[in-house]
Amino acid sequence: MCGIFGCILNEGNAAPVIHASLKRLEYRGYDSVGVATIHNGKIYMKKDQGKIDDVHRILDLDDLPGSIGIGHTRWATHGAPLKVNAHPHSDCTGQIVVVHNGIIENFSELKLELENNGHNFVSRTDTEVIAHLIEENLEKNPELSLADAVTEAVKRLEGSYAIAVLSMKEPDKIVCARNESPLVLGVGENSIYCASDIPAFLQATNKAVLINDGELIILSSKGYEIRKIRDATVVTREPEVVDWTPEMAVKQGYPHFMIKEIHEQPATLRNTLRMQEHYLDLISTFLDRASEVFLVACGTSYHACLAASYMFSKLAFLPTYPVFASEFVEQHGKSVNIDSTILAVSQSGETADTLAAVNCSQQRAATILGLTNTIGSTLTRVSRVYIGQQSGPEIGVAATKTFTSQLSVMAQLALKLSKKRGKISQDEMDYLAEKLETLPETVETIILTQEEKIKQLASKYKDAKIFFFLGRGINTATAYEGRLKLMEIAYVPSIAFPAGESKHGPISLIEPGFPVIFICAKDGSTHKTLIGNIMEMKARGASIISIMEEGDEEVKALSDDYIEVPKGIPEVLSPIPFAIPLQLLAYYMALEKGYNPDMPRNLAKSVTVK
Ligand code: AGP
């Protein structure tokens, strides 16, 4: 998730406007920035890695001539946050420059084809192929307009994109195109804007034109033209007036980043399914060959590790050891060795306890693998191989979209491993891979159909003094995550246990009305035994709140309240959809109690841009 911006002004220089607008898009990405303008037959460009203020201090991003320009603030997915990978990217001639937000899945094949046609690539990004494709089209057919050359180029792209293109071919225009990644136009009195999000131009105008997937836009000083990429048919669409304050706009109209990021999960899960196979293969090869594997992390990331240990065992018969990073040195510091492999998981890539565990292991020659959401973070620098999970920046302190993305990456790794080890049938692997592909829609359905009900649930139980979260098997991890969210965001004392453990002591706390949340996947071997645990709690008068599969009549009959997730979710993938109701419950419980979900007391998160 990056921020793209472009503008055509009837008066004044574009660069200061682009710089200021990128600042307003910084919540979308902040590891590198770049601006390009066009003036008197020449393209001017300034870009570098680092935060906008730091780069501006060195390069002065306001000092580029010309009233037409584009800009970009980046959240790296392909290619580390280095100057060479910062946007805009240009073609071989430097006459075409492109900024892009999204993930081009088939960029490797396109790059190879273009290199065979003599194109020279300078970056490791997926984006650069777009500039060379446009160049290729114009070389093959110089009669083509810039818009047509861009159209032909985007028709060859697979994946998500929102792009803005500047070219000496038509120096008075900006051409944009969208597929999945957000793009919106701003229509000013004497200016026209394109951006990833409304906050970018809200200072200048509140007249916005929303762009749909499969549309190409031509911006000029006369205004904008929208065409369908498929068949170039012209689309007419009037601007809408947006009555948002700049603060609301950054949250896209949501009251808090946490709820915005919960709602982003269908999109972030789709992004996570666009992982570069190459890195999944590499990491799964290291895991396959390892003599012992530790999954090391803190907080929510630890819960992803716990769930992953079930996935690796069930699908690939690979035993792995999930370890709290803060305990790793004490627990394994003496035994970890050259044959050990550490998969360290951290969305920020900067959590001190996790890095300390990595450091200890590195000193003992262990192999370090990383899973993070922050390319360029310390974890990426100390890892032998790392995977970027592509969730985009997470501003809310509560980890939500990064948790489900971590689980999706782990499931993809487990399927790779199961293939390598041939532990499950091809049919089962295909079935699970197919189910993984449908999870973004499943999560969408849960949010659409259950959010209101969860709101009422939070209101009903807002005075509860304590909660139990119980799950079995892989959903023990989901129960722990539900507990963490309710404590972290709504400050409600909560206890989580593997349900089978609850009768070994904790059950003595149960009294009439004591709320117990059960995570009840229908698929798999735990359903029956979990019903036994529900009955044990119910027998003592507990209020049973079940997160269950649609139509699970047995559990429904035993529950005082229940939240339904769509049918047919394989147990080994179930923590992803089952986490959503728990995130929403914590969010609405915090609101019920008058707390700001974005700013919990403990701030247990190493973020930089605030
Ligand atoms: C989760 O909501 C918390 N903010 C916290 O537990 C967090 O997961 C933990 O600090 C680990 O952060 P990391 O993934 O960035 O390493």
Side-chain angles (χ1 to χ4, degrees):
M1 189 162 107
C2 307
I4 74 167
F5 179 79
C7 65
I8 298 180
L9 309 179
N10 284 357
E11 59 210 30
N13 277 351
V17 174
I18 298 170
H19 171 201
S21 300
L22 292 178
K23 275 296 291 176
R24 288 190 283 272
L25 289 174
E26 207 165 16
Y27 65 92
R28 300 181 61 85
Y30 40 77
D31 62 38
S32 39
V33 59
V35 174
T37 61
I38 209 161
H39 183 62
N40 288 352
K42 193 167 173 289
I43 288 183
Y44 298 81
M45 185 150 77
K46 289 185 178 179
K47 62 177 186 175
D48 205 342
Q49 74 177 91
K51 296 195 186 77
I52 297 176
D53 293 348
D54 303 337
V55 173
H56 175 57
R57 216 170 290 120
I58 300 157
L59 297 181
D60 187 356
L61 295 170
D62 295 343
D63 181 22
L64 292 92
S67 60
I68 299 182
I70 58 177
H72 185 271
T73 179
R74 185 172 188 237
W75 184 263
T77 57
H78 294 65
L82 300 168
K83 179 172 181 170
V84 68
N85 295 327
H87 298 213
H89 287 286
S90 60
D91 67 323
C92 300
T93 66
Q95 302 283 300
I96 300 166
V97 287
V98 177
V99 293
H100 163 233
N101 169 35
I103 297 166
I104 308 299
E105 288 171 53
N106 61 336
F107 87 99
S108 310
E109 301 95 272
L110 293 169
K111 188 172 180 177
L112 199 57
E113 177 196 316
L114 289 159
E115 282 173 333
N116 292 343
N117 294 358
H119 289 261
N120 297 317
F121 280 73
V122 295
S123 80
R124 299 196 58 183
T125 66
D126 51 344
T127 302
E128 194 182 343
V129 292
I130 305 172
H132 292 280
L133 277 173
I134 299 167
E135 175 191 10
E136 181 88 355
N137 296 338
L138 288 172
E139 250 168 34
K140 282 201 184 113
N141 180 354
E143 304 316 305
L144 274 182
S145 71
L146 177 60
D148 294 340
V150 173
T151 303
E152 293 315 308
V154 294
K155 279 183 177 172
R156 303 212 47 210
L157 305 180
E158 289 162 22
S160 60
Y161 59 81
I163 63 171
V165 181
L166 268 187
S167 166
M168 289 312 303
K169 169 84 182 176
E170 295 178 55
D172 61 337
K173 296 196 174 63
I174 296 176
V175 175
C176 309
R178 173 197 173 162
N179 182 48
E180 268 194 40
S181 299
L183 186 64
V184 59
L185 306 183
V187 182
E189 290 303 311
N190 300 312
S191 53
I192 185 92
Y193 309 91
C194 60
S196 295
D197 208 347
I198 289 170
F201 54 70
L202 200 57
Q203 299 319 69
T205 175
N206 65 352
K207 291 199 184 71
V209 182
L210 301 179
I211 303 303
N212 300 328
D213 284 352
E215 291 182 344
L216 178 127
I217 304 91
I218 306 163
L219 299 183
S220 70
S221 55
K222 300 190 199 65
Y224 62 95
E225 179 189 320
I226 305 174
R227 294 182 189 168
K228 286 208 172 310
I229 291 170
R230 193 182 53 248
D231 56 15
T233 48
V234 173
V235 178
T236 50
R237 189 171 306 132
E238 292 307 312
E240 295 165 41
V241 174
V242 181
D243 58 358
W244 283 350
T245 63
E247 204 233 339
M248 280 171 71
V250 169
K251 295 175 186 148
Q252 290 170 342
Y254 290 98
H256 300 98
F257 281 110
M258 183 179 177
I259 191 68
K260 170 180 174 276
E261 287 156 2
I262 289 174
H263 280 242
E264 276 175 12
Q265 290 179 96
T268 49
L269 283 168
R270 281 191 199 97
N271 270 352
T272 307
L273 289 168
R274 292 193 173 109
M275 282 283 123
Q276 290 182 63
E277 291 287 315
H278 170 63
Y279 295 107
L280 285 168
D281 285 330
L282 258 180
I283 294 238
S284 58
T285 303
F286 274 104
L287 293 174
D288 181 35
R289 294 195 187 136
S291 50
E292 64 176 2
V293 177
F294 295 100
L295 308 174
V296 179
C298 299
T300 292
S301 296
Y302 169 78
H303 298 146
C305 290
L306 181 59
S309 69
Y310 286 82
M311 294 173 181
F312 293 149
S313 167
K314 281 175 173 279
L315 301 183
F317 296 28
L318 174 73
T320 56
Y321 310 104
V323 184
F324 287 112
S326 53
E327 281 304 316
F328 183 86
V329 176
E330 272 308 304
Q331 196 175 7
H332 301 286
K334 290 277 181 285
S335 58
V336 67
N337 59 63
I338 193 162
D339 299 325
S340 311
T341 294
I342 311 296
L343 175 52
V345 179
S346 170
Q347 84 84 19
S348 62
E350 301 295 352
T351 298
D353 291 328
T354 307
L355 296 177
V358 165
N359 189 28
C360 161
S361 309
Q362 230 169 7
Q363 283 167 8
R364 301 176 69 85
T367 301
I368 307 298
L369 307 174
L371 167 54
T372 184
N373 188 39
T374 314
I375 309 282
S377 61
T378 306
L379 181 57
T380 59
R381 292 198 295 277
V382 297
S383 298
R384 174 92 177 263
V385 185
Y386 67 84
I387 281 189
Q389 62 185 70
Q390 304 181 164
S391 312
E394 189 171 62
I395 310 292
V397 168
T400 53
K401 62 179 182 175
T402 53
F403 177 56
T404 50
S405 288
Q406 285 166 343
L407 292 169
S408 172
V409 175
M410 293 296 196
Q412 294 177 64
L413 282 173
L415 285 173
K416 286 270 177 206
L417 274 164
S418 62
K419 190 171 188 68
K420 278 183 199 309
R421 296 171 151 234
K423 294 300 182 185
I424 62 173
S425 68
Q426 189 59 45
D427 289 354
E428 197 179 354
M429 267 190 267
D430 296 346
Y431 165 73
L432 289 170
E434 197 193 299
K435 283 289 179 184
L436 198 54
E437 288 286 330
T438 62
L439 282 183
E441 285 69 42
T442 304
V443 166
E444 209 146 39
T445 307
I446 296 169
I447 294 171
L448 281 175
T449 60
Q450 303 297 307
E451 184 165 12
E452 200 45 46
K453 200 172 175 190
I454 295 165
K455 218 175 182 171
Q456 288 151 18
L457 210 58
S459 165
K460 177 177 178 184
Y461 288 96
K462 69 175 181 298
D463 301 322
K465 295 281 172 289
I466 181 168
F467 276 80
F468 263 18
F469 288 81
L470 299 180
R472 269 188 175 265
I474 195 168
N475 282 309
T476 304
T478 319
Y480 283 131
E481 178 57 10
R483 169 198 65 174
L484 172 60
K485 286 284 145 336
L486 202 63
M487 291 199 295
E488 181 183 26
I489 299 297
Y491 319 137
V492 181
S494 303
I495 299 175
F497 274 99
E501 270 304 295
S502 56
K503 58 181 171 295
H504 301 290
I507 199 163
S508 55
L509 275 178
I510 300 300
E511 56 192 26
F514 190 117
V516 180
I517 297 180
F518 277 93
I519 321 298
C520 317
K522 186 114 177 11
D523 172 51
S525 52
T526 62
H527 190 255
K528 258 220 163 343
T529 41
L530 194 72
I531 287 184
N533 297 125
I534 297 177
M535 294 166 89
E536 284 161 4
M537 291 291 169
K538 198 161 184 61
R540 287 164 178 75
S543 295
I544 305 299
I545 303 161
S546 300
I547 316 291
M548 54 172 245
E549 237 184 57
E550 213 174 286
D552 186 342
E553 298 311 322
E554 263 184 298
V555 170
K556 196 188 277 184
L558 290 166
S559 307
D560 300 281
D561 294 286
Y562 58 85
I563 300 294
E564 289 176 297
V565 303
K567 275 197 176 72
I569 299 167
E571 186 181 30
V572 77
L573 300 178
S574 60
I576 297 174
F578 278 74
I580 308 300
L582 301 173
Q583 296 167 351
L584 287 166
L585 180 66
Y587 174 76
Y588 285 111
M589 189 66 84
L591 295 187
E592 282 290 339
K593 293 174 171 288
Y595 299 128
N596 174 351
D598 281 351
M599 295 307 282
R601 285 188 294 226
N602 67 353
L603 282 191
K605 186 160 191 157
S606 51
V607 286
T608 45
V609 173
K610 282 291 175 199

